[in-house]
Amino acid sequence: MIDLDAVARLREEMVQVGRQIFARGLTSATSGNTSARVPGHPDQVLIKTSGKSLGDVGPEDFVLVDLEGNILAGEGKPSKEIRFHLGIMKVRPDVQAVVHGHSAYATAYVTARGELPVVTAAAEMGLNRVEIVEYAEPGSIELAEMVINAFKDNDLKAAVLKRHGFVTVGKDIHHAFYLADVLEDNAKVAFLLSQLG
């Protein structure tokens, strides 16, 4: 059964957060995607449709799916990264939302150095550590499997995908976004420290 009011409220939250993600420079053009469980219905997930920029999403740009990826409501094709969004939620019942973006500093630092140290107090408190995922083609089963495997660690909140972007998870879509913001800020500081050191 679909709770239309809960879905409508969540769509509006997803729009607001999507625009914040874009405004903060955590992704560009039509890249990046977000998903969140419908409150009270943990087996129903809203996910951004493919080909739409987070900078100008509307409520209609999120489709409702079940944990197997079957479309329950909405128009359009779900994000090509739906495999890891739903896969994370299957292995982590605590995760209520996933944010995937293509931020510059985290991606560059990890691609160049193969790691991302936690150097800020905010990242230490919010993230604790950052997992690194090797490169695989975006949207591929291989990438999804590597991302899902990383998030089997119940304490993990953030991973950076080499040459690609990041994934953060949270107790709601706002929390997942805040952690993404902290992750990118930490990467900027790590980069600056590497230049100043």
Side-chain angles (χ1 to χ4, degrees):
M1 184 175 181
I2 298 172
D3 183 338
L4 296 176
D5 288 339
V7 170
R9 286 192 299 271
L10 184 57
R11 283 182 193 276
E12 290 299 334
E13 285 186 67
M14 301 281 282
V15 167
Q16 177 191 359
V17 172
R19 292 177 180 173
Q20 289 177 295
I21 290 167
F22 191 85
R24 291 290 294 156
L26 298 175
T27 203
S28 62
T30 60
S31 67
N33 31 75
T34 56
S35 65
R37 295 185 202 257
V38 177
H41 302 273
D43 58 343
Q44 295 178 8
V45 176
L46 275 177
I47 186 165
K48 185 181 85 71
T49 55
S50 186
K52 188 70 179 182
S53 171
L54 283 170
D56 56 14
V57 288
E60 69 282 0
D61 296 315
F62 297 91
V63 291
L64 185 68
V65 298
D66 63 20
L67 290 177
E68 300 307 316
N70 300 305
I71 295 177
L72 304 175
E75 301 290 327
K77 182 180 177 184
S79 163
K80 68 180 177 183
E81 303 296 7
I82 190 172
R83 287 186 188 96
F84 72 62
H85 281 263
L86 299 181
I88 291 170
M89 291 185 181
K90 284 181 183 178
V91 299
R92 293 278 301 275
D94 61 305
V95 169
Q96 299 300 308
V98 177
V99 169
H100 168 53
H102 297 183
S103 63
Y105 281 88
T107 306
Y109 198 100
V110 164
T111 302
R113 303 248 173 142
E115 65 171 355
L116 181 56
V118 172
V119 296
T120 68
E124 189 173 310
M125 289 175 55
L127 302 174
N128 190 34
R129 68 182 187 84
V130 178
E131 184 70 25
I132 308 304
V133 175
E134 293 298 322
Y135 180 78
E137 185 178 341
S140 68
I141 293 172
E142 181 186 5
L143 176 64
E145 287 175 347
M146 289 193 293
V147 172
I148 294 163
N149 191 53
F151 280 96
K152 285 180 180 175
D153 177 346
N154 288 331
D155 295 324
L156 188 67
K157 297 173 187 166
V160 180
L161 291 49
K162 284 186 177 178
R163 297 176 47 207
H164 187 162
F166 69 86
V167 178
T168 54
V169 300
K171 61 187 178 183
D172 57 40
I173 192 63
H174 300 279
H175 185 230
F177 158 57
Y178 298 150
L179 292 179
D181 208 20
V182 168
L183 176 70
E184 181 67 355
D185 183 66
N186 178 79
K188 288 179 186 176
V189 174
F191 169 74
L192 291 171
L193 287 171
S194 72
Q195 300 304 300
L196 295 169

